[in-house]
Amino acid sequence: MAFVIEKKLKNVMTFYYLMKLDKKIPTDRAFIRKRQGKKVHELMERAYKIPFYRKRFDENHLTPDDFHTPEDLVKFPITTRADLRLWMQEEYEKNPKKRKSWTILSTSGSSGVPLKFIQTQRESACVDANWIRVLMYAGYHPLRGKLFSFVTSHKKIDPKKGDSIIQKFGFMRRKVVSEDNCVGDGIRDIIKDLNEYKPDVLCFRRNCLVRMALYAKRHNLKIYKPKLYTPVSEMVDDMTRKILTESFGDGLFDAYGSSETGSCIIQLPGEELYYINSDTHVVNIYDEDNRLTDDGRVIVTTLFKKDFPFINYEIGDRATSATLDGVRYIKSIQGRVNDLVKHENSPETSALYLMKIPNGIVGIAQFKFIQESYHDMRILLVKDPNNNAHTKEEIESFFRKKMAELFNDEFTLHFDWLEVIPPDKNGKMRCFACEIPDEAH
């Protein structure tokens, strides 16, 4: 019964936390630093009482008094997915009576093995409130605005159900569709729904938005340009940004985060830098020796999670950053640390170098590299229907030249031209995949 009541109160808790969060990005950097430092200390005091983290404090001769700034977190050990997987499993097995009051979530597995993690109702309310305010940063009004989104694995909303009583009165309106329909001629129906609904905000995965844009181009369909739209769950590269802005307009805002951390970084339309949600997160950038740097691994700490906090969590991506008046901003998010090209007789190299190749030529709408063996690289390409500056042969020649500059004659290239590149089984689409088993290296 207590669990039922707690779940019913979740919307109240979400509203409560929303009221406490920033609704506009603060500009007073002295205030940002002071508040973030205070929250870091409060989090570490709480973590000191959690056995999983207390052991890490003790092993490194640390106490909460060692942490008063975001930079102080560099003293604390890195937390990996493997660490969290073991901790969450132990908590689940030790606390059978608490399981009903927890939400068990899972990552998509795009970085390897999916991570199942525990979230309390309070933490879930914080995550929801955080996402609402991210939309508000970009200009969305949660009561008056109209949202057009997809069904996620975390929000089991039935697209067939009509509006709630609140929505029928014109508040918190949303239309939810299944991304399973975003294939073939099903895309036409989604575009039709979009054009009829005319939302203020459009939230789909990046690969689905690209498929909609390409379908509209090929079939000369008009597509509604919402005030705001965000490609969630996947990073936006320069080529994708161009395709999206041509079809959906200039309202693109890029919100970065993960299932386990919530949304933590946002780039507003027209802005060059990404802002870190300083009241809910710390995002530091570490080099390979776990020292602070401006270009390296993304390390996230959730300031709002007090029951199952993620401290110095290595999310698996790389980024570049700049620090202004003591406040870190993100310049670019570059991709997965574990996207590695494997070589037969030499160490692995980052696939990030491959990602830069398509930016050097126009006329491509989508791309994906698949390493099939130590000497075979398959390149999937989709032609931009509205850009005939280069032929397919010229584009292939450009790729061959750039690949030779990177790897000499190590790879035989195989090109596949498609109408659209399908997403992976988890719904996402990564731009690089290696099919060589780890044990083969």
Side-chain angles (χ1 to χ4, degrees):
M1 179 63 71
F3 174 57
V4 174
I5 294 173
E6 190 175 7
K7 288 199 75 172
K8 288 183 177 180
L9 288 175
K10 186 188 167 190
N11 288 339
V12 176
M13 289 192 287
T14 299
F15 181 77
Y16 169 75
Y17 289 117
L18 179 60
M19 292 300 98
K20 297 179 69 174
L21 295 176
D22 296 331
K23 264 68 79 181
K24 292 184 178 180
I25 293 177
T27 57
D28 185 340
R29 292 182 182 134
F31 165 76
I32 291 173
R33 274 198 63 80
K34 182 177 179 180
R35 180 183 61 180
Q36 202 173 34
K38 180 181 177 183
K39 286 179 174 286
V40 166
H41 182 65
E42 291 173 349
L43 173 68
M44 300 309 271
E45 285 187 318
R46 173 70 183 105
Y48 197 64
K49 300 174 183 177
I50 299 173
F52 171 76
Y53 283 114
R54 176 60 180 265
K55 181 180 178 182
R56 295 177 157 229
F57 276 100
D58 293 344
E59 288 176 346
N60 292 274
H61 310 289
L62 297 167
T63 72
D65 286 335
D66 292 303
F67 301 92
H68 293 277
T69 70
E71 295 79 14
D72 286 340
L73 289 168
V74 76
K75 306 171 189 175
F76 206 74
I78 293 290
T79 302
T80 66
R81 275 184 170 82
D83 296 328
L84 289 174
R85 188 175 291 112
L86 181 61
W87 175 35
M88 297 295 172
Q89 185 63 36
E90 288 177 350
E91 290 293 331
Y92 187 82
E93 292 174 355
K94 287 191 305 183
N95 297 283
K97 293 182 179 180
K98 292 183 179 180
R99 292 174 191 170
K100 288 185 178 180
S101 65
W102 291 341
T103 300
I104 310 300
L105 300 174
S106 177
T107 65
S108 65
S110 61
S111 61
V113 181
L115 166 68
K116 289 188 176 181
F117 61 98
I118 301 168
Q119 205 161 256
T120 62
Q121 293 301 308
R122 189 199 71 81
E123 290 176 334
S124 295
C126 289
V127 170
D128 290 349
N130 179 52
W131 176 240
I132 293 170
R133 72 80 174 268
V134 165
L135 297 177
M136 293 176 72
Y137 277 162
Y140 173 70
H141 195 288
L143 289 180
R144 299 193 301 268
K146 293 168 67 178
L147 177 70
F148 192 75
S149 184
F150 68 100
V151 180
T152 71
S153 59
H154 301 332
K155 306 292 182 185
K156 300 298 184 182
I157 300 171
D158 186 351
K160 297 179 181 178
K161 287 187 177 180
D163 288 344
S164 66
I165 294 176
I166 292 176
Q167 290 164 345
K168 287 178 180 177
F169 279 101
F171 298 108
M172 301 179 71
R173 290 169 293 172
R174 67 184 175 197
K175 185 175 182 65
V176 182
V177 299
S178 172
E179 281 195 338
D180 292 341
N181 298 330
C182 198
V183 292
D185 288 332
I187 299 174
R188 183 184 293 270
D189 294 330
I190 292 183
I191 292 175
K192 181 175 179 288
D193 286 342
L194 171 65
N195 292 342
E196 290 177 352
Y197 194 64
K198 293 181 171 58
D200 299 297
V201 179
L202 173 63
C203 298
F204 273 23
R205 294 188 201 273
R206 181 200 67 184
N207 70 79
C208 188
L209 290 176
V210 170
R211 277 178 273 155
M212 291 169 65
L214 293 178
Y215 189 93
K217 285 183 177 184
R218 290 196 183 99
H219 295 85
N220 295 315
L221 298 178
K222 289 185 178 180
I223 193 163
Y224 179 73
K225 292 179 170 60
K227 179 181 177 183
L228 301 164
Y229 62 98
T230 179
V232 299
S233 300
E234 299 170 325
M235 291 184 300
V236 180
D237 55 78
D238 291 340
M239 188 182 71
T240 301
R241 189 180 296 271
K242 182 176 181 295
I243 294 292
L244 294 181
T245 53
E246 286 176 355
S247 296
F248 295 100
D250 296 327
L252 170 65
F253 73 97
D254 192 7
Y256 171 87
S258 68
S259 300
E260 54 271 45
T261 65
S263 185
C264 51
I265 303 171
I266 179 172
Q267 183 187 48
L268 296 181
E271 295 290 333
E272 291 187 7
L273 296 177
Y274 290 76
Y275 171 73
I276 297 168
N277 294 341
S278 59
D279 53 350
T280 54
H281 296 82
V282 170
V283 178
N284 281 325
I285 308 297
Y286 289 0
D287 64 16
E288 300 310 311
D289 295 317
N290 294 339
R291 297 173 301 191
L292 288 167
T293 185
D294 287 330
D295 183 351
R297 298 141 56 213
V298 177
I299 308 296
V300 180
T301 295
T302 54
L303 298 173
F304 66 94
K305 284 178 176 262
K306 298 295 177 67
D307 304 297
F308 295 99
F310 288 14
I311 301 174
N312 268 8
Y313 174 56
E314 181 152 16
I315 201 166
D317 288 327
R318 296 185 67 89
T320 62
S321 67
T323 302
L324 306 177
D325 299 327
V327 175
R328 187 180 297 274
Y329 296 83
I330 301 301
K331 295 168 64 177
S332 67
I333 302 166
Q334 301 170 328
R336 288 285 175 184
V337 173
N338 61 350
D339 281 344
L340 297 172
V341 179
K342 294 184 179 180
H343 307 281
E344 190 170 23
N345 299 309
S346 60
E348 300 164 332
T349 57
S350 173
L352 294 176
Y353 297 108
L354 297 178
M355 312 304 183
K356 297 177 181 179
I357 293 176
N359 294 331
I361 192 168
V362 297
I364 307 172
Q366 282 183 294
F367 70 92
K368 183 172 184 176
F369 294 87
I370 303 175
Q371 185 180 0
E372 297 178 326
S373 74
Y374 288 123
H375 300 289
D376 292 278
M377 187 76 72
R378 187 165 298 276
I379 303 175
L380 310 184
L381 295 170
V382 174
K383 194 80 167 63
D384 185 341
N386 289 352
N387 192 318
N388 295 313
H390 298 283
T391 65
K392 291 181 179 179
E393 290 74 18
E394 288 171 337
I395 293 172
E396 289 184 13
S397 177
F398 176 81
F399 271 75
R400 292 184 192 281
K401 177 177 179 292
K402 293 299 180 182
M403 287 291 290
E405 291 174 0
L406 287 172
F407 304 111
N408 296 315
D409 59 351
E410 183 176 352
F411 291 105
T412 298
L413 304 185
H414 310 273
F415 291 92
D416 290 343
W417 288 90
L418 308 175
E419 284 207 354
V420 65
I421 297 175
D424 300 332
K425 291 180 180 179
N426 59 19
K428 296 185 179 184
M429 196 192 85
R430 298 177 71 183
C431 295
F432 174 77
C434 181
E435 296 182 344
I436 303 175
D438 288 337
E439 58 268 20
H441 188 51

